[in-house]
Amino acid sequence: MWEPSLVVWTFFILTLLSITFLSKILKNGKYIGQEDQSQRRYKFPPGRRSWPVIGDSFHWYSAIASSHPSKYVEEQAKRYGKIFSCRIFGKCTVVSIDPEFNRYVMQNEGTLFQSSYPKSFRDLVGLNGVITVQGEQQRKLHAIASNFMRINKLNFSFLKDIQTIIIHSLTTFHDGHQVISLQDACRKIGINLMVSQLLGVSSESEVNEISQLFYDFVDGCLSFPVNLPGFAYYNAMKARKQIISKIKKKIKMHKSGVAMGTSGQEVLARLLEEQKYLSDEAVEDFIINLLFAGNETTSKTMLFAVYYLTHSPKAMKQLLDEQDALRNEYGDNTITWQDYKSMPFTQCVIDETLRLGGIAIWLMRETKEEIKYSDYVIPKGTFVVPFLCAVHLDENIYDGALTFNPWRWMELKNQEMRNWRNSPFFAPFGGGGRLCPGAELARLQIALFLHHFVTKYRWTQIKADRMSFFPSARLVNGFQIRLEKWEH
């Protein structure tokens, strides 16, 4: 009787193992789902499978540190499609430059997706803040922030205070020719605005101190979490501790009945009313979240707007003409709420600055359950990154996408796209349940800054500069300009 040889048995077993292995690959790679009583083939988004842990991180961060942060994801999208996978942040990640999928992620915040940030970021902004907290607590904190900064309150609560702070800040520039780093100046103005409105801080020395602390704080947000001297994370955590100490002091003053200024008093009072729901740590994290988010959005957009205007004389002239026409009857150069609503070209400049140099270049999310979208299946617990600025810089959506062109927002075809609250094509403030609650306040602050800056000063750039978005959005040389008071 014939008996199979050892070689035949070995071949048979290897064949079975191969079939089993391949079937698992096919099952994982092409998930068979049931929809409408018919079978539909799903697959995990295609992409590179590079080195473990390190993966594509070097390519990713190299692009982020450049003036074109979406370069790497655009290259990958050409090869694999607008929704693709790669390995960054030490894990397999799904990245999207698809406007509709990005909107889908934002609109399903808290149900299908949740925020997911690196350890360094979570440690610094705090686990109880509106940026990182999840679920019902996030909705509660977001509602408090949104109510505090809703548009109908900006007219009464903030318009005069903002201008007072900006005018005072600009008076620190000496008469005559002066070389300044506009990046530093805008950061101080941004910090001044936020700490005044949130904490009632008005001391120039304290504003300068907090501004310096935020330099270290922001630089550590996407750093390696090494808590040893000499590392960005260590310096950032040290800065956080000092900022929290100042917040604690202001809370104690408020509870003691010490007057701090109308706006700062108001937000603290509202937060402390929620004391039965919020711990002291939650109040502290909430405030540092607003300080961080508000300062980054406002100060950097102020800076980038001036940078773009400097390189676009035509836009600069049109904006100046519009602002010059708003001089009020009292001659003090302050503007009213009606004036603010009557500066259409300035709003176009702000929108174009946010499109071309937006601060929120990507979102960091994680799937709460298995997601089926289009032809793809994304397993539960997968890191998902909607890369917003790649949409903002897409030539198929915006003609001359890499060119500063504020007039594009006057075109009728772009009006629907311009709705940053709902548009999948323009999302400088995020969207869904985590839409930036201070978006309207930021726009107001930027417009008021531009009014007072361009009507009072002339400047000349004295050193070449470029943008970088790592570890945070910035001009690498600080945008050094020679400033001169404009008498007219």
Side-chain angles (χ1 to χ4, degrees):
M1 183 176 179
W2 178 81
E3 294 182 2
S5 67
L6 180 61
V7 173
V8 173
W9 276 113
T10 303
F11 176 77
F12 179 70
I13 292 170
L14 287 174
T15 301
L16 284 176
L17 289 173
S18 297
I19 292 172
T20 302
F21 180 68
L22 286 171
S23 67
K24 286 185 177 181
I25 290 177
L26 290 171
K27 184 177 180 181
N28 291 331
K30 293 184 178 180
Y31 181 89
I32 306 300
Q34 299 290 333
E35 284 193 356
D36 300 326
Q37 298 181 344
S38 63
Q39 289 192 334
R40 182 173 181 176
R41 198 171 287 272
Y42 288 91
K43 61 183 179 180
F44 188 73
R48 285 167 51 93
R49 295 294 179 269
S50 53
W51 296 99
V53 184
I54 295 175
D56 299 290
S57 297
F58 288 124
H59 297 292
W60 182 275
Y61 287 116
S62 176
I64 298 304
S66 73
S67 299
H68 191 170
S70 58
K71 180 179 179 182
Y72 169 74
V73 297
E74 289 168 0
E75 291 171 350
Q76 298 307 298
K78 287 178 182 177
R79 296 178 62 185
Y80 301 111
K82 290 189 173 184
I83 303 174
F84 64 91
S85 58
C86 61
R87 187 172 291 278
I88 53 173
F89 308 118
K91 60 178 108 175
C92 188
T93 302
V94 172
V95 180
S96 168
I97 68 169
D98 181 278
E100 296 299 338
F101 181 66
N102 291 353
R103 176 173 167 77
Y104 175 79
V105 173
M106 290 186 284
Q107 293 299 320
N108 286 283
E109 167 71 36
T111 54
L112 303 180
F113 301 89
Q114 63 184 11
S115 64
S116 179
Y117 293 95
K119 172 177 168 54
S120 56
F121 187 88
R122 296 196 309 271
D123 290 348
L124 285 164
V125 301
L127 299 179
N128 301 299
V130 68
I131 297 176
T132 54
V133 77
Q134 310 287 352
E136 183 59 32
Q137 186 78 328
Q138 187 270 334
R139 288 187 284 274
K140 179 184 289 291
L141 292 176
H142 191 276
I144 293 172
S146 298
N147 180 61
F148 167 61
M149 292 179 280
R150 67 181 186 269
I151 191 167
N152 65 324
K153 293 186 71 173
L154 301 184
N155 181 10
F156 301 103
S157 302
F158 295 119
L159 188 66
K160 183 177 180 181
D161 291 346
I162 291 170
Q163 293 189 83
T164 299
I165 292 167
I166 290 173
I167 292 170
H168 174 73
S169 299
L170 293 178
T171 60
T172 62
F173 300 152
H174 303 300
D175 291 337
H177 291 75
Q178 180 188 11
V179 175
I180 67 165
S181 163
L182 190 63
Q183 185 159 264
D184 290 345
C186 286
R187 179 183 288 271
K188 288 180 181 178
I189 291 172
I191 285 289
N192 199 337
L193 289 168
M194 294 310 296
V195 297
S196 171
Q197 290 156 10
L198 294 175
L199 295 174
V201 172
S202 58
S203 163
E204 188 170 337
S205 62
E206 192 168 9
V207 168
N208 290 338
E209 183 183 356
I210 296 175
S211 178
Q212 186 57 50
L213 290 172
F214 261 95
Y215 270 111
D216 292 336
F217 180 91
V218 172
D219 283 351
C221 283
L222 292 178
S223 64
F224 290 106
V226 180
N227 202 18
L228 293 172
F231 286 87
Y233 177 81
Y234 173 86
N235 294 333
M237 288 299 290
K238 186 177 177 181
R240 172 189 160 83
K241 185 177 180 180
Q242 291 176 268
I243 295 169
I244 290 292
S245 176
K246 292 181 178 298
I247 294 172
K248 286 178 181 289
K249 181 180 177 181
K250 294 300 178 182
I251 291 174
K252 185 177 180 180
M253 289 173 61
H254 176 81
K255 288 181 175 180
S256 300
V258 178
M260 302 185 318
T262 305
S263 299
Q265 192 99 355
E266 182 179 344
V267 69
L268 275 180
R270 177 69 195 279
L271 282 172
L272 295 175
E273 284 174 7
E274 302 286 341
Q275 201 62 47
K276 58 183 177 182
Y277 305 111
L278 303 177
S279 65
D280 288 344
E281 291 77 13
V283 173
E284 293 157 11
D285 282 351
F286 179 85
I287 292 175
I288 205 169
N289 274 225
L290 294 186
L291 287 173
F292 166 71
N295 178 62
E296 280 297 288
T297 301
T298 303
S299 66
K300 298 300 175 59
T301 308
M302 287 175 181
L303 170 70
F304 290 170
V306 176
Y307 174 76
Y308 288 130
L309 288 167
T310 302
H311 295 91
S312 178
K314 181 181 176 183
M316 179 69 233
K317 183 180 185 307
Q318 187 164 337
L319 180 130
L320 180 58
D321 288 344
E322 181 173 86
Q323 294 301 329
D324 264 338
L326 297 176
R327 296 179 180 281
N328 67 26
E329 60 186 275
Y330 305 107
D332 61 1
N333 211 27
T334 58
I335 62 175
T336 65
W337 185 255
Q338 184 179 354
D339 292 332
Y340 171 63
K341 305 302 289 185
S342 304
M343 47 175 76
F345 187 71
T346 301
Q347 297 296 338
C348 289
V349 167
I350 293 171
D351 282 334
E352 185 68 350
T353 301
L354 290 168
R355 183 193 68 82
L356 199 55
I359 312 306
I361 60 176
W362 73 54
L363 304 177
M364 298 180 182
R365 299 291 184 263
E366 182 179 313
T367 54
K368 296 182 68 175
E369 58 183 69
E370 183 181 84
I371 305 296
K372 297 189 187 97
Y373 183 88
S374 184
D375 295 326
Y376 300 121
V377 62
I378 305 174
K380 179 181 178 180
T382 302
F383 194 52
V384 177
V385 177
F387 212 99
L388 304 181
C389 86
V391 178
H392 297 165
L393 301 178
D394 189 339
E395 291 282 352
N396 295 315
I397 299 173
Y398 296 99
D399 296 334
L402 298 180
T403 303
F404 180 72
N405 176 17
W407 298 275
R408 76 172 75 246
W409 299 110
M410 294 180 171
E411 298 175 12
L412 186 62
K413 65 179 182 179
N414 290 331
Q415 290 307 302
E416 184 175 351
M417 195 159 57
R418 191 180 183 182
N419 181 6
W420 48 266
R421 291 185 179 276
N422 298 300
S423 172
F425 305 105
F426 185 50
F429 299 105
R434 289 189 182 271
L435 178 72
C436 176
E440 291 285 4
L441 175 60
R443 296 180 68 91
L444 175 63
Q445 291 173 334
I446 295 160
L448 295 177
F449 166 78
L450 287 174
H451 170 78
H452 290 286
F453 187 71
V454 303
T455 57
K456 291 179 181 176
Y457 292 96
R458 291 295 173 266
W459 62 92
T460 305
Q461 184 177 348
I462 63 173
K463 189 173 184 179
D465 223 325
R466 68 173 182 84
M467 286 187 175
S468 172
F469 292 83
F470 182 79
S472 64
R474 65 186 64 202
L475 289 166
V476 294
N477 292 320
F479 197 48
Q480 295 182 36
I481 57 175
R482 190 178 303 281
L483 199 65
E484 185 175 3
K485 193 81 175 286
W486 188 46
E487 301 294 344
H488 57 99

